[in-house]
Each structure stands twice: as structure tokens, then as C-alpha cells.
Amino acid sequence: TGPGTAAKRTLVWLGVMFALLAVLLGSGSIWGTASWSPKLALDLEGGTQMILAPQVQGGSDEITEEQLDQAVEIIRQRVDGSGVAEAEINTQSGRNVIVSLPGIPDAETRELIQASAQMEFRPVLFGGPGQAPAAETPTPEEELPAPTDEPTDASDPNWITAEVFSEFEALDCTSPEALEPAEEAAPADAPMVACEPGTQGKYILGPVEVPGTDIDSADFGMQRGAQGQSLNTWAVNIQFNSEGSETFREVTERLFAFEDGDPRNQFAIVLDGTIISAPTTQAVIPDGRPSISGSFTEESAGALAEQLKYGALPISFEIQSEQQISATLGADQLRLGMIAGIIGLILVAVYSIFQYRMLGLVTIASLVVAGFLTYLAICILGWTENYRLSLAGVAGLIVAIGQTADSFIVYFERIRDELRDGRGLVSAVENGWRRAKSTVLASKAVSLLAAVVLYFVAVGNVRGFAFTLGLTAVADLIVVFLFTHPVMRLLARTKFFGEGHRFSGVDPKKLGIMPLYRGAGRIRMPSATPQTAAPRPKNKAVSGEIARRTTIAERRLAEQKALAARSNGTDQEEN
């Protein structure tokens, strides 16, 4: 197959990709979960403003500035954990936290914002089903030895007193009330009873051994075997700090010594009085990097990782007030932003037509394709990742217009350079592409790097600007490789462009290209430059084009060669 066939095939694949994206978005729209319009951020749509009052653990009314700053940062991470939600989170009077969210937050978001970081790692002492008490429920005399002495460690059964076991018996983990966050935290140096909502089981737990503040990070992924192979099961990975790593090593050494099936082989991760996971200990963890596996789905593993990662908040919050707020910028500002973008597109189009004649239509078509691809991506990301477009994001899209057009300009100029070297248009397109694509890739790599750095070091609306800047850079690469270049390969085989029509943008006269046959048996050499192989053109526009395309060194070299040629001619006449 020739280049023309390959170009057509590439355009077909691009059309298939657009069709699949449209079908994906359309199917989500039919089910009511997606929309053909992008989600808008707080500054363009309005939303909900909540004033949160901190509730310090232990009932204290004192809160430090460091605690409040940490709370604001973790709330921001929690809100943005599922995508760029463009939320605004600030402090008020050094005491309260104001959270402004676009739209109306759902119940899960509210719970996530209010949740405290009373996260603890406690050893399991005893467990059982979470139903209401039954006749066959074991008694301490049947299953548990009565306390005989002071507990020696956190796994010692002497922690289970008759009072604790009675509380365990009375607890009904099937009732909704039992699964609500505890109003008061259990003492860290005492046992407690708690429910595990996932299994509706209940446990008696020993004292806290590792606090949640010792968690450095948490993520999730596919579980790996001893040889590094994927086991096709999801796992949650935890990284403790140095103090937590040492403590957790000692805990796993003790728990691993208990036989499988013994409840004391388990440790419970407790958040606000509720057990979010109670895994068994399958090995001693010396490096502070435990991995929790089980019957996880991708969603449940991600949810547990988020709870662990953002759970170390020393305070919880109570919603004091909540109200709907209007857009801070509104439709007028969005309209002005869209007008600015349209003006930018028109200016780019005018410049392209003026500079490249009909070839500029390729630039305009490429910008339209890139815009359509970016629009679909923003709509799909709003549906799947809760991405919301802010005015800063709109600014990123407008800035990207110039950067996108720059890729086409680099490509076209490379083609023109190849034409000046004496190649035909088909050959010039292929050679120009080989020279241009490395420049385009380097340029977009720099843009992507800048966008990624800006996204991770900034907060708020600036992240929206960085996100759209990086998104358009990716879209630009797709369009240049899958649309612009294939279209140029096809156009190079048409009569209008191939023969260099004066409105094509590749007119030889406009580019200062001399013909291969110069008359009187003289043939232009492929390596010859217009200055050395032909007299200076009389057309001023062509002369200016040639002068602009050569460096000072090249012009001096041409002058020296011309002078040498005249000297040789004079010597021959004298002889």
C-alpha cells in the first residue's frame, strides 16, 4: 500500500475513535448519568457553601493553627480525590472552615467532609456475627477465660471483662444506628466493641497500638505474587512512617504467632468507632509496608485506600450552616471568555490564510478537529471523573489555540524548506514530516511537563488551567499525527497543490524556487541555493522571502562564490 492508502486508513481510524467517544457519551446521556454539556465549576455555575465548625478529639475547644491548616488541606484532598472538582476551601476567623462546592453535594461527599481522622489500628480479641443476641451466643465462661491478672499486651484476653462482653452481646450490628460514627472516641488505652459494616460482624478490640497519624501514604492496585506476577486480585497498600513501621513490626510478630482461625490473628482498622477492615496477619511486616488483600473490587479497594490516605485528620467537623450560592462570575464572564476564544480562532484563521493561502484551511480544519476532541474529552471526564470546567480552565483552552497552531506552522515551514531544496511536493511532505515531528514532540513534551508541574504544585482554579493546558497538548499530538499529516499526504497528490497553484500556499514563485531546467542546457543542481544558481529574482516579494530564509553566513558564502565565479569568468576571457 502506498502513502495515500495509509493516509486514508489513518483518517478512518480517527473517525472510528471519534465515533466511539460519541457513542460512549451518548450511552451515558441516555441513562441520565452523562451530559453533552461540560460540568461547570463553582465560579460559573454556583453551588453550595457549608460552614464547618471543628470538633476536637477529647472534647477540647482548643484548636491550633497547624491542625486547622492540616484539616483544610485534607478536606481539599478528599473533595478533589475523585477528580478536579474546583472546590474552594478556606478558613474563617481562624476557627471555622468554609467549603464551597459546585452543584449540590451528595451524602457521600458530606460524610467525607465531616469525617474525622480518629483512625486506629487495634488487635482483635474476640469476634462473632453482628445479629441481635441469641440463645446460642457464647458466654464468657464457655468461650473466654475470666480475667485473672493485669493484661500483659494488647492481645491479652484479660482485657475482656464481664462488662465488655455484655456490651459485645448487646451490640446489634444489623441496625443502622450501630453503624453511625461514634460521638465520643473510645479511650486509646482501653478495649472497645465495634461493628464491621462490610460483613456485619462485631468484634472486641484491644487498646490502640498504631494511631492513624502514623500512616504516611496509601494506594491500591493489583496484588503481586512472590515472583512479581499479577494475581488478578485488588489489594490496598499502606506505608507507615518510621515510628509506625517499628511499632507495626512488633504487632505483626505477635499476631502472626497465633494460629489461623484464632480471632487474635486479626487486627482492626477503626475509623470513628467503626471497623473499616479487619484483615488477618499472614506474615511479619518488617518494613512498614503492609498490603491488605481479600475480596476487593476496584471501587472498594480505592475507597479503603482513600480512607486510609486521608483519614489522619486530628479533628472532625460539624456543619453549622449550609446555603446555596450563585455563580461568582456567572454567564456574562463565561460569554466574554467564549468571545475571546472565538476572536483568537478568527485571528489564527486570518493569519493562516494570509500566510499559507489554501494550505491554511488545513490549519483551520485541524483546529476544529482538536476542539471537538477536547470538548468530548471534557464532557467524558465530567461524567467519569467529576471534572468541572472553570473560567481558569477556559483560559487554558484559549491559550492552547496558539500552541496548537504552532505545531501546524512548524510542519508547513518544514515542507516549504524541502520545496526550496528542489523536492517535489509529495517528497517534501514526507521529508518535512520526518523533520517536523521531532520538533512537535519536543514542544508538546515541554508543554505537558509545565502543565503537570503546575497542576501538582497549585491549588484551586490554577489546577483547572493546568489541566486543560495539558489536555489540549495531548489532543494536539493526536490531531497532528492522525489528521494533519494524513490530510497533507492526500493533498500533495492533487493537481491544485501538486502543481503549485498560486493560491495553494506552495507556489514556487512565491517561495523563490527556481525551475530545474534553466534553459541553454543549464540544469540547477539540487544542492544549489537560489543565490548561487540563479540571478537575484526581480520580484520583490520573492527576494524578501529568500533574504529572510538565509542566514548572514549563508549570504556571505554566496557572495564569495559569486565573486569567485566572476573572477574565473574574467580570467577565461583574458586567456
Side-chain angles (χ1 to χ4, degrees), residues 248-449:
F248 198 73
R249 179 188 62 79
E250 297 173 357
V251 171
T252 53
E253 284 180 349
R254 185 182 70 246
L255 300 187
F256 186 62
F258 295 110
E259 298 179 356
D260 291 340
D262 189 332
R264 290 178 296 173
N265 180 255
Q266 297 174 257
F267 66 89
I269 305 172
V270 184
L271 178 62
D272 292 342
T274 301
I275 298 174
I276 60 176
S277 183
T280 59
T281 306
Q282 299 179 348
V284 176
I285 310 297
D287 58 357
R289 295 175 179 268
S291 177
I292 303 174
S293 59
S295 56
F296 284 121
T297 63
E298 181 178 3
E299 290 75 17
S300 61
L304 178 56
E306 289 291 311
Q307 287 178 304
L308 293 169
K309 184 176 181 180
Y310 303 135
L313 185 62
I315 50 180
S316 60
F317 290 91
E318 179 183 7
I319 299 179
Q320 277 194 339
S321 65
E322 180 176 332
Q323 61 180 354
Q324 297 300 309
I325 57 177
S326 60
T328 57
L329 294 174
D332 290 341
Q333 283 73 12
L334 178 60
R335 179 176 57 84
L336 292 175
M338 297 302 294
I339 291 175
I342 293 173
I343 292 175
L345 281 172
I346 293 175
L347 291 176
V348 170
V350 170
Y351 172 81
S352 297
I353 296 297
F354 176 78
Q355 179 70 16
Y356 297 108
R357 302 300 189 270
M358 297 303 291
L359 198 62
L361 294 179
V362 179
T363 299
I364 298 172
S366 299
L367 285 173
V368 171
V369 174
F372 185 50
L373 178 61
T374 304
Y375 185 86
L376 284 178
I378 289 175
C379 291
I380 293 174
L381 288 172
W383 168 35
T384 59
E385 301 297 329
N386 197 32
Y387 170 75
R388 291 181 177 268
L389 184 64
S390 66
L391 193 63
V394 174
L397 296 176
I398 295 174
V399 170
I401 294 174
Q403 294 186 345
T404 302
D406 180 64
S407 300
F408 312 139
I409 293 173
V410 169
Y411 182 24
F412 294 160
E413 290 301 324
R414 290 289 184 266
I415 293 175
R416 286 183 162 189
D417 288 342
E418 294 296 326
L419 290 173
R420 293 187 184 95
D421 287 342
R423 291 186 173 87
L425 183 57
V426 173
S427 176
V429 167
E430 300 302 328
N431 286 278
W433 173 245
R434 281 193 289 269
R435 295 175 59 190
K437 66 181 179 182
S438 58
T439 304
V440 172
L441 287 171
S443 172
K444 297 310 162 187
V446 172
S447 297
L448 275 174
L449 179 61

Side-chain angles (χ1 to χ4, degrees), residues 59-109:
S60 173
D61 292 331
E62 296 183 0
I63 180 172
T64 65
E65 183 177 352
E66 182 181 1
Q67 286 178 318
L68 195 61
D69 291 341
Q70 183 184 5
V72 169
E73 182 60 28
I74 293 180
I75 289 177
R76 179 178 289 112
Q77 291 174 327
R78 287 175 171 179
V79 172
D80 293 343
S82 60
V84 184
E86 299 287 356
E88 294 181 5
I89 305 171
N90 303 291
T91 59
Q92 180 187 57
S93 303
R95 175 68 184 178
N96 294 334
V97 175
I98 300 179
V99 179
S100 300
L101 300 172
I104 300 176
D106 54 22
E108 293 181 359
T109 302

